[in-house]
Amino acid sequence: MTSISEDSDKEKVRSVSVDLNNDASLIIDIPDALCERDKVKFTIHVKTTISSFQKPAFSVPRQHEDFIWLHDTIVETEEYAGLIIPPAPPKPDFEGPREKMHKLGEGESSMTKEEYAKMKQELEAEYLAVFKKTVQVHEVFLQRLSSHPIFRKDRNFQIFLEYDQDLSVRRKNAKEMFGGFFKNMVKSADEVLISGVKEVDEFFEQEKTFLLDYSSKIKDATAKAEKMTRSHKNVADDYNHISGALNHTAADNNTAFKKHLEKSAEVFEKLRKLEDRVASDQELKLTELLRYYTRDIQAAKDLLYRRARALADYENSNKALDKARLKGKDIAQAEENQKKSLQKFDKLSESGKKELTSFKARRVVAFRKNLIEMTELEIKHAKNSMSLLQGTIEILNSN
Amino acid sequence: MSGGCGRNPPPFPDNEDQEAELDTRVLDSDEDDDDEGEDIFTIARSKPITPTSAPDEGDIFSEEGSYIRSDVHHATNGLHSDDELDLFTEATVELTLTNTTSQGRREIIGPTASACNTTHVPNSILKPSIVTKTMEELEEEESGDQFELNIAVTNPEKIGDGMNAYMSYKVSTQTTLPMFLNKTFSVRRRFSDFLGLYEKISAKHSLLGFIIPPPPQKSVVGMTKVKVGKEDSSSAEFVEKRRAALERYLQRVVAHPSLLQDPDVREFLERDELPRAVNTQALSGPGFLKMINRASDAVNKMTIKMNESDNWFESKLQEVENEEQLLRRLHAAVDSLVNHRKELCSNTAVFSKSVAMLGSVEENSALSRALSQLAEVEDKMEQLHQQQAFSDFFILAELLADYVRLLGAVRCCFEQRMKVWQRLQEAQSTLQKKREAEAKLLWANKPEKLQQAKDDINEWESKVSQYERDFERVTCTVRKEVLRFEKEKARDFKQHIVKYLESLLHTQHRLVKCWEAFLPEAKAIA
């Protein structure tokens, strides 16, 4: 574990799937989620000792859109400009399983009972995998907020956790208020950062270079990892088809060879399961890791952007002050502005530095954990494959 | 090969001088005495077939030599061939077959000779029970392969340049079979030579109900790339695919006991220079398929119902057709696997590079090192996937493709039998017509034409009986062939599946090693 500078007692180590519920004063998890038509309803479970909450333990149902609302309000909050805001969870994507379910429904008449049951099983497994992913990512979002000393105190966060009625009314109001103003600005953050103002601070200069470079590389790695995982799944699918075809051939066969064909069909079926596990574990540990940190890097870049804007504002206020002094008008006002913007900038710089440093640590820990877990799983699955294959070879040879 | 006269076996072909010589003696022994010929058969038939089983009139010698007649006594055969018979009563048995123009035909499998005596039984004496008996015995005996014959096709070399270029392959044989001049030898052959061999074999043997292994398929695209000199992985792959296919083809040919005896096969393996095979267009892949399809069409047009003494042929043909469909499906699934694995391979390579880039940017040095190690692991994965795709293809996909085509050849076999039956039917109806014509002439009292009519009838009677014999023979051969084929198929499949699983095992083993090497690197991140 790397040494975390400053406030180390307050700062908790955060990583993608490390338990963020280290602080017993506010524990959040998502034990349950329901999928209806288009919407996913998450059940948020809270256990707390903080007095500002009405109850020590409670649950609320929330939709994905509620999470987005919460994220947006936090982003728009001026006070948090110097913090890395945890990236919003992506929309749950059940497209894959839904398509499959459709196919299943259509093809039901043309399939045998076994085929139907098998496909149904696969469908359920796929659904479950998507489910797990989306629950995890929503959970982590809340946990990042709950374990951050400043975010956990956010009023909207409390409302999100506690408000026992539908949040959609509030969501509408929020949209009207902010109108996504800040969001649109952030889109051009990269350009500002790159072209932008002269950086005085060595630390931030380095960070800027690093984050820009890293961001594009990790985006690329994520995309390539996704492709690789998909190929794995295709191979697993093929094993499935081969198993089915072998079973058909065995059914037609009436010689002693029938047993061999059946055994082979069996082994391919098992190989498929293993290959599937390899693919989904790789996805969860590697691809998801990369995906998450792509988003987190973006959040860090946003922070830099906000600081750069503050710097620009400060410089503008300086210019305005000079102008005012020249003109001899509104000097006090200009001085006031200048002081304010300097304050703001300094505050951003200070908290920014903290945040970025802990971000580094967090990233390293997360990578370590996930790479170790992925490797261990790969080894486990490969060993299982080996014993399966060895057993089957022995059986086939002895017959 | 004509119907010949009466029940005598047709004369033996010229290129078997040695055999012909000996055979005529044997022939003579039977010529005068058809009944005794039959007696020989009866005796031979009723004895349990042992390795030293009785040969009969159809026996032909190859260069290998002697055969035995220990159990059969030709006491009743008062011909001068007694002496010759004594010559043959030796201990060792090696019954051999020559090419198929001879009527007598048997399997050779080293010392364990098997005899389908039913092939020699003149028409009507065939009884179903005997057929089954011989078949069981055949099944037992076929396992006794004492002689070795290994064939390898290696060293593809491009000869010439431009569009006239071709690939030459080295065909090496290693054998203990005495019929070959040497124990180990090799020759160089090109693809059209293989097709030429197929053509010769097919012309001789397919009409008799043998399952002829189909040759590897022609490929204009693949060959053009090679000719043009494109030195990339796809043309290397093509050459390897072809080399392996040629090897399998030859191995199947020599695994067939009758085909092994064919002098053309021997010539192919042994002779230094082969005359260029022409007319191989028709028998290349698409040509071959066309031939099968034409045959099927012809059969479909024949809405004749054959009088089958048992359902065996009908149901077997159905089985074969079903199996062909199933194997096609299986092959398609394996093909898909090969493609996806290749995709996985390239995606892994791309990912590996991406991770390496990420590692190079990472500021934490331990993580950076781990990421570049991860990139190396993924690189090794790519190689593993590549090799596995290779195994997927050559062990599994090609096996299935071969068998789909082999099943097509089996169908051809059944169709040949149908053709023979057809011919018999037609001859029988012609005979009937001739008889009617004769009757009419008698009635009309035209004595001058009567003689002609009688001659006609004689001619057609003998044709009918010849065709009957042919049909019985083909029936027996097809049955045997199918059984042999099924056994071989089961063995082949089992072997290949085991081999494939072993390749998967090997890959997983290497996988474990790669990841185990990486684990400490991941743990070292700090």
Side-chain angles (χ1 to χ4, degrees):
Chain A
M1 293 266 237
T2 190
S3 60
I4 304 160
S5 53
E6 308 105 29
D7 297 351
S8 50
D9 45 24
K10 287 265 173 67
E11 303 274 68
K12 305 284 185 214
V13 167
R14 296 170 210 133
S15 62
V16 174
S17 41
V18 150
D19 187 15
L20 291 165
N21 285 326
N22 288 335
D23 183 354
S25 62
L26 182 59
I27 296 180
I28 303 181
D29 63 272
I30 303 183
D32 186 8
L34 249 175
C35 187
E36 299 169 358
R37 281 269 115 196
D38 273 353
K39 305 224 172 269
V40 184
K41 273 214 171 73
F42 300 94
T43 307
I44 320 282
H45 178 74
V46 184
K47 245 177 30 188
T48 178
T49 56
I50 298 175
S51 49
S52 52
F53 286 100
Q54 290 175 10
K55 287 187 261 182
F58 52 90
S59 296
V60 283
R62 289 286 176 252
Q63 291 177 19
H64 169 73
E65 286 72 21
D66 301 330
F67 288 76
I68 300 301
W69 164 79
L70 179 59
H71 173 261
D72 288 351
T73 56
I74 291 178
V75 164
E76 306 275 343
T77 309
E78 186 82 33
E79 281 168 50
Y80 304 145
L83 307 174
I84 296 181
I85 298 171
K91 198 167 157 77
D93 179 19
F94 285 97
E95 197 49 48
R98 209 176 292 139
E99 240 183 78
K100 245 192 170 160
M101 185 163 82
H102 202 64
K103 261 196 231 154
L104 192 71
E106 284 182 349
E108 184 171 355
S109 45
S110 62
M111 282 191 254
T112 67
K113 236 175 160 205
E114 295 91 32
E115 277 182 341
Y116 184 75
K118 213 168 37 149
M119 250 199 110
K120 198 150 165 267
Q121 216 182 44
E122 283 163 40
L123 177 62
E124 284 168 0
E126 203 174 309
Y127 231 81
L128 196 63
V130 176
F131 229 61
K132 267 203 247 182
K133 254 196 325 198
T134 194
V135 164
Q136 184 199 62
V137 96
H138 283 77
E139 199 178 65
V140 163
F141 172 68
L142 294 179
Q143 286 172 345
R144 284 250 334 245
L145 292 174
S146 70
S147 52
H148 193 289
I150 298 172
F151 286 133
R152 69 189 351 218
K153 300 200 196 105
D154 181 83
R155 179 85 190 101
N156 284 316
F157 184 49
Q158 279 196 338
I159 292 173
F160 177 91
L161 291 175
E162 245 190 340
Y163 192 63
D164 56 2
Q165 284 168 38
D166 203 344
L167 282 178
S168 47
V169 180
R170 290 210 150 228
R171 280 192 273 135
K172 244 190 288 166
N173 294 342
K175 268 220 176 84
E176 281 155 15
M177 279 213 302
F178 294 118
F181 166 74
F182 224 118
K183 264 191 156 164
N184 291 333
M185 300 301 295
V186 171
K187 277 199 180 88
S188 50
D190 270 11
E191 296 144 35
V192 173
L193 285 180
I194 295 167
S195 61
V197 261
K198 186 143 182 322
E199 187 54 70
V200 288
D201 191 329
E202 184 63 34
F203 174 82
F204 283 101
E205 182 63 34
Q206 272 184 346
E207 280 303 299
K208 184 175 81 185
T209 323
F210 169 70
L211 284 178
L212 283 174
D213 209 358
Y214 199 80
S215 155
S216 66
K217 301 261 166 19
I218 199 171
K219 230 189 250 172
D220 186 61
T222 309
K224 307 287 159 62
E226 280 173 350
K227 267 182 122 176
M228 191 173 72
T229 312
R230 213 172 315 138
S231 289
H232 260 296
K233 291 219 167 97
N234 284 338
V235 169
D237 253 345
D238 286 327
Y239 283 156
N240 192 21
H241 293 140
I242 292 175
S243 173
L246 279 170
N247 266 324
H248 272 118
T249 313
D252 233 45
N253 190 299
N254 291 317
T255 66
F257 190 54
K258 190 189 179 96
K259 282 222 194 76
H260 288 152
L261 287 171
E262 285 174 345
K263 193 90 195 107
S264 311
E266 201 187 297
V267 81
F268 270 101
E269 176 58 32
K270 296 208 177 112
L271 283 174
R272 173 189 81 84
K273 290 210 178 89
L274 280 168
E275 196 69 32
D276 240 347
R277 289 300 306 280
V278 168
S280 55
D281 283 342
Q282 197 181 73
E283 165 136 59
L284 215 59
K285 300 289 166 193
L286 190 58
T287 316
E288 273 298 295
L289 172 74
L290 292 171
R291 272 194 205 118
Y292 188 80
Y293 276 92
T294 310
R295 291 195 293 268
D296 224 6
I297 294 269
Q298 186 59 45
K301 270 174 33 187
D302 292 346
L303 168 60
L304 279 189
Y305 161 75
R306 290 192 290 269
R307 181 178 164 278
R309 273 213 74 93
L311 182 57
D313 286 344
Y314 170 61
E315 296 201 339
N316 287 340
S317 73
N318 266 339
K319 288 199 194 107
L321 181 59
D322 287 343
K323 236 208 272 180
R325 286 204 176 122
L326 267 170
K327 284 207 187 134
K329 262 206 304 188
D330 297 324
I331 297 179
Q333 175 77 0
E335 275 180 349
E336 187 60 40
N337 277 344
Q338 195 242 30
K339 216 181 6 175
K340 263 214 205 124
S341 38
L342 179 61
Q343 262 178 356
K344 181 172 166 197
F345 174 69
D346 281 339
K347 181 168 161 229
L348 280 187
S349 293
E350 191 193 318
S351 78
K353 213 177 215 169
K354 263 203 305 215
E355 288 276 301
L356 286 169
T357 312
S358 72
F359 170 68
K360 269 192 241 278
R362 191 169 71 232
R363 185 178 78 247
V364 171
V365 168
F367 268 74
R368 178 176 188 276
K369 177 174 187 286
N370 280 285
L371 286 177
I372 292 176
E373 284 180 356
M374 180 186 80
T375 307
E376 287 172 344
L377 284 168
E378 289 263 0
I379 293 174
K380 177 174 127 184
H381 294 320
K383 284 195 170 150
N384 283 343
S385 287
M386 277 177 72
S387 56
L388 167 70
L389 289 165
Q390 261 158 353
T392 310
I393 291 173
E394 269 169 36
I395 292 178
L396 286 176
N397 273 336
S398 66
N399 269 346
Chain B
M1 171 159 108
S2 65
C5 47
R7 287 168 193 170
N8 286 339
F12 294 107
D14 288 335
N15 55 0
E16 307 290 352
D17 288 340
Q18 189 184 6
E19 288 105 22
E21 194 191 338
L22 292 166
D23 287 326
T24 34
R25 271 180 282 154
V26 177
L27 263 183
D28 286 344
S29 72
D30 292 329
E31 202 171 60
D32 306 341
D33 209 335
D34 282 341
D35 291 334
E36 272 155 341
E38 281 183 9
D39 283 348
I40 295 168
F41 295 143
T42 343
I43 295 170
R45 229 188 304 133
S46 58
K47 281 209 189 326
I49 310 283
T50 61
T52 61
S53 61
D56 47 28
E57 64 169 44
D59 281 352
I60 303 146
F61 306 83
S62 70
E63 296 100 335
E64 279 182 70
S66 50
Y67 76 118
I68 196 176
R69 272 181 182 235
S70 52
D71 296 322
V72 179
H73 302 289
H74 292 265
T76 50
N77 190 342
L79 301 170
H80 58 85
S81 52
D82 269 357
D83 292 336
E84 284 90 274
L85 290 177
D86 288 337
L87 239 168
F88 308 143
T89 51
E90 287 178 82
T92 53
V93 174
E94 279 148 14
L95 297 178
T96 67
L97 295 167
T98 54
N99 53 29
T100 60
T101 52
S102 63
Q103 181 186 21
R105 187 168 304 103
R106 274 193 235 125
E107 307 287 87
I108 182 186
I109 307 159
T112 62
S114 53
C116 179
N117 288 336
T118 51
T119 59
H120 307 290
V121 173
N123 28 16
S124 41
I125 305 188
L126 180 64
K127 290 171 207 149
S129 56
I130 292 163
V131 175
T132 31
K133 178 188 179 191
T134 355
M135 282 204 302
E136 280 160 14
E137 285 147 1
L138 282 173
E139 287 173 49
E140 281 167 22
E141 286 163 341
E142 287 205 333
S143 49
D145 235 350
Q146 241 201 22
F147 287 108
E148 232 186 88
L149 177 69
N150 296 321
I151 296 196
V153 173
T154 53
N155 300 65
E157 253 175 47
K158 184 170 165 199
I159 313 275
D161 261 320
M163 287 316 284
N164 289 327
Y166 63 92
M167 291 304 286
S168 148
Y169 302 87
K170 181 171 165 195
V171 177
S172 315
T173 316
Q174 184 250 322
T175 178
T176 54
L177 279 166
M179 71 181 178
F180 290 99
L181 298 167
N182 297 311
K183 289 222 177 336
T184 23
F185 49 93
S186 69
V187 291
R188 291 214 78 102
R189 295 282 180 256
R190 55 186 290 185
F191 185 68
S192 55
D193 294 333
F194 289 79
L195 292 184
L197 176 67
Y198 170 79
E199 184 188 352
K200 290 189 197 138
I201 293 177
S202 181
K204 280 186 273 181
H205 298 256
S206 65
L207 299 168
L208 302 156
F210 284 102
I211 301 173
I212 315 288
Q217 300 187 295
K218 255 196 176 196
S219 162
V220 178
V221 176
M223 254 336 267
T224 312
K225 269 207 221 153
V226 172
K227 285 180 183 176
V228 163
K230 225 168 163 245
E231 289 283 338
D232 65 354
S233 61
S234 73
S235 55
E237 213 177 286
F238 171 78
V239 171
E240 174 55 28
K241 181 175 167 181
R242 174 159 284 189
R243 181 208 67 78
L246 291 173
E247 194 174 80
R248 290 195 307 272
Y249 169 64
L250 280 185
Q251 285 167 343
R252 289 211 174 87
V253 168
V254 299
H256 192 302
S258 315
L259 295 182
L260 177 57
Q261 298 308 308
D262 189 318
D264 282 323
V265 172
R266 253 179 287 148
E267 182 183 71
F268 182 89
L269 293 175
E270 269 188 328
R271 187 164 158 184
D272 276 328
E273 291 285 327
L274 269 190
R276 227 356 251 287
V278 292
N279 293 336
T280 52
Q281 277 294 91
L283 287 139
S284 53
F288 177 71
L289 279 173
K290 254 187 269 162
M291 197 173 77
I292 298 184
N293 291 335
R294 252 185 284 125
S296 322
D297 291 338
V299 171
N300 288 337
K301 289 200 189 96
M302 287 197 271
T303 49
I304 314 148
K305 260 201 63 162
M306 279 180 68
N307 285 340
E308 295 281 9
S309 55
D310 60 78
N311 244 351
W312 192 90
F313 284 89
E314 245 178 79
S315 59
K316 207 33 113 170
L317 182 60
Q318 190 61 48
E319 256 180 60
V320 166
E321 286 173 348
N322 287 346
E323 192 164 14
E324 194 178 331
Q325 288 307 93
L326 290 170
L327 285 188
R328 269 187 213 276
R329 218 184 104 176
L330 188 53
H331 177 253
V334 174
D335 218 20
S336 172
L337 174 65
V338 172
N339 288 333
H340 282 142
R341 205 169 320 253
K342 284 194 177 151
E343 238 176 61
L344 175 60
C345 177
S346 60
N347 286 342
T348 308
V350 164
F351 176 67
S352 161
K353 290 198 185 71
S354 187
V355 170
M357 295 285 277
L358 189 64
S360 67
V361 188
E362 175 60 60
E363 20 171 48
N364 179 298
S365 56
L367 180 55
S368 168
R369 197 169 45 239
L371 286 173
S372 25
Q373 289 291 50
L374 179 64
E376 270 182 47
V377 168
E378 294 292 344
D379 208 36
K380 290 202 198 106
M381 295 282 128
E382 185 223 341
Q383 286 171 25
L384 286 180
H385 292 314
Q386 174 86 292
Q387 283 163 8
Q388 187 58 56
F390 192 81
S391 297
D392 291 342
F393 181 74
F394 280 101
I395 300 178
L396 223 47
E398 287 285 76
L399 171 81
L400 293 167
D402 280 352
Y403 271 94
V404 167
R405 284 161 57 240
L406 274 166
L407 285 172
V410 174
R411 267 194 295 127
C412 265
C413 198
F414 277 79
E415 279 141 21
Q416 292 299 344
R417 179 174 170 267
M418 273 225 138
K419 283 206 195 123
V420 175
W421 187 84
Q422 177 94 10
R423 192 177 56 172
L424 174 62
Q425 292 303 102
E426 286 165 5
Q428 280 171 342
S429 76
T430 311
L431 178 62
Q432 182 63 20
K433 287 203 196 94
K434 297 288 178 189
R435 289 203 171 122
E436 286 169 5
E438 187 203 31
K440 272 205 205 108
L441 285 177
L442 278 169
W443 219 73
N445 203 6
K446 292 204 180 124
E448 69 285 0
K449 293 206 178 153
L450 212 53
Q451 185 54 40
Q452 177 64 38
K454 281 212 187 318
D455 287 340
D456 276 354
I457 289 176
N458 280 336
E459 183 194 336
W460 280 96
E461 270 178 353
S462 66
K463 274 196 182 155
V464 165
S465 60
Q466 171 67 43
Y467 294 164
E468 272 172 348
R469 276 205 298 281
D470 285 347
F471 181 68
E472 298 305 342
R473 189 175 54 226
V474 168
T475 299
C476 173
T477 305
V478 169
R479 259 194 148 100
K480 255 194 329 170
E481 282 285 277
V482 168
L483 285 172
R484 188 185 62 84
F485 173 76
E486 284 184 340
K487 259 181 74 178
E488 215 171 273
K489 173 162 63 84
R491 195 181 45 179
D492 232 354
F493 265 71
K494 180 173 145 185
Q495 241 176 33
H496 278 80
I497 290 180
V498 168
K499 204 160 154 204
Y500 180 69
L501 295 179
E502 283 173 349
S503 81
L504 284 176
L505 179 61
H506 182 67
T507 301
Q508 293 296 323
H509 182 72
R510 302 257 298 279
L511 246 159
V512 170
K513 288 252 162 336
C514 280
W515 286 114
E516 279 179 343
F518 176 69
L519 193 55
E521 286 291 338
K523 291 194 167 149
I525 300 172

